Amino acid sequence: MKETIVETTKKIKFDNAGYYALGLIVLAILGFWPTYFSKFFDGTADFNFYFHFHFALSSLWIALLIVQPILIKKKKLSIHRQIGKLSFAILPLFLISVILLKHYLIGGEVTEGSGASMWFLFKNIIIIGVMYIIAMANRRNVQIHARAMIATGIVFIEPTLGRFIIITLLPEIDFMIGLGITFLIMYIPIISLIIIERKQTSGRWVFPFFLILLLVFHGLFFFQVSFPLLDSIANWFVRLPIT
């Protein structure tokens, strides 16, 4: 009689993700120190509401990414669920804070081919929004839910690390080179996770899908892809009296 061998693949646990998310705090301090945090120490801080609103909501989201996995690790599932409900309010407010800040920084200036700039302005909130929807739609599937929430945290690497590289590390400020380096660095943990969990049977599609989203939007931005309809939408957004 032939012996049947059943191979099982141990599912990856993400309950240590909260400790890794602490790194986002370090990146935020490094990236925004010259243009935000240091201003409060040298007396030159002159920021309006939009900056502080965005900072507060970004901080709350990062706090969720830190606390929630730790609660799972400590088996505080009831508290995890209760705090998780806050995300239904925090994420929309965070996305609004990004839109308001971007609109304020544009300053009502309509430029030629403005549609291409929309990819850079809104790619992160689109990607975070998509990954959050995936996470919430699969709240009962830990493997998918955890991966999608981790993806929302990885997105934060770009604005924090990118600023640090562009402002602090490069000998001369070069926006495109700095972003290119940042994008490549972002791909390293994602590709590593894809390789590590290549034998997983549940949820392993999340990180490849996330990587594809990043590559598509990064490509649209770098190649300055635009078309008349997108330009019209961008110009309409710029002219909106919201800030």
Side-chain angles (χ1 to χ4, degrees):
M1 183 176 65
K2 294 183 179 180
E3 183 180 358
T4 302
I5 300 176
V6 179
E7 294 183 1
T8 59
T9 303
K10 186 177 181 180
K11 293 181 179 179
I12 296 177
K13 293 183 178 180
F14 293 101
D15 50 5
N16 287 324
Y19 301 116
Y20 292 106
L22 288 169
L24 293 175
I25 297 177
V26 177
L27 287 177
I29 294 173
L30 290 174
F32 288 91
W33 179 262
T35 59
Y36 187 75
F37 296 112
S38 67
K39 304 298 183 182
F40 295 95
F41 292 91
D42 61 21
T44 60
D46 186 23
F47 303 105
N48 63 21
F49 166 77
Y50 304 115
F51 288 91
H52 300 310
F53 182 50
H54 178 60
F55 170 71
L57 270 300
S58 299
S59 299
L60 285 174
W61 190 256
I62 291 174
L64 279 180
L65 295 176
I66 294 170
V67 170
Q68 290 293 73
I70 293 175
L71 289 173
I72 291 293
K73 184 178 181 65
K74 295 184 178 298
K75 302 189 185 304
K76 305 289 185 180
L77 300 183
S78 178
I79 300 176
H80 173 88
R81 295 189 188 98
Q82 293 302 314
I83 293 179
K85 293 177 182 178
L86 295 175
S87 70
F88 290 108
I90 293 175
L91 186 71
L93 289 174
F94 166 73
L95 299 182
I96 290 172
S97 78
V98 175
I99 293 171
L100 291 176
L101 181 58
K102 298 295 186 183
H103 186 275
Y104 171 77
L105 292 175
I106 292 172
E109 183 179 352
V110 176
T111 59
E112 184 178 353
S114 56
S117 65
M118 290 293 103
W119 300 124
F120 180 72
L121 293 178
F122 296 118
K123 61 181 169 38
N124 286 344
I125 64 174
I126 293 173
I127 294 173
I128 289 176
V130 169
M131 299 315 296
Y132 178 74
I133 290 172
I134 291 174
M136 292 301 103
N138 294 275
R139 291 192 298 274
R140 300 184 184 279
N141 187 323
V142 176
Q143 294 298 308
I144 296 176
H145 178 78
R147 286 172 172 83
M149 290 302 293
I150 288 171
T152 69
I154 294 176
V155 174
F156 278 79
I157 293 176
E158 180 190 317
T160 53
L161 180 62
R163 278 174 173 80
F164 178 63
I165 291 174
I166 294 168
I167 298 173
T168 306
L169 295 186
L170 293 182
E172 294 183 2
I173 293 179
D174 191 309
F175 187 71
M176 297 302 286
I177 290 178
L179 278 181
I181 295 172
T182 303
F183 293 162
L184 292 176
I185 292 175
M186 284 181 65
Y187 299 153
I188 292 174
I190 304 172
I191 293 173
S192 298
L193 286 168
I194 292 172
I195 293 173
I196 290 171
E197 59 174 31
R198 63 190 181 280
K199 295 183 179 179
Q200 295 297 307
T201 57
S202 175
R204 65 179 180 182
W205 59 268
V206 176
F207 290 131
F209 176 67
F210 175 50
L211 180 60
I212 290 171
L213 283 178
L214 288 174
L215 289 170
V216 168
F217 279 100
H218 288 167
L220 290 170
F221 165 67
F222 265 108
F223 292 103
Q224 293 290 287
V225 176
S226 188
F227 43 87
L229 177 58
L230 184 59
D231 289 337
S232 299
I233 294 173
N235 293 337
W236 167 79
F237 170 74
V238 170
R239 294 190 183 100
L240 282 176
I242 58 176
T243 60

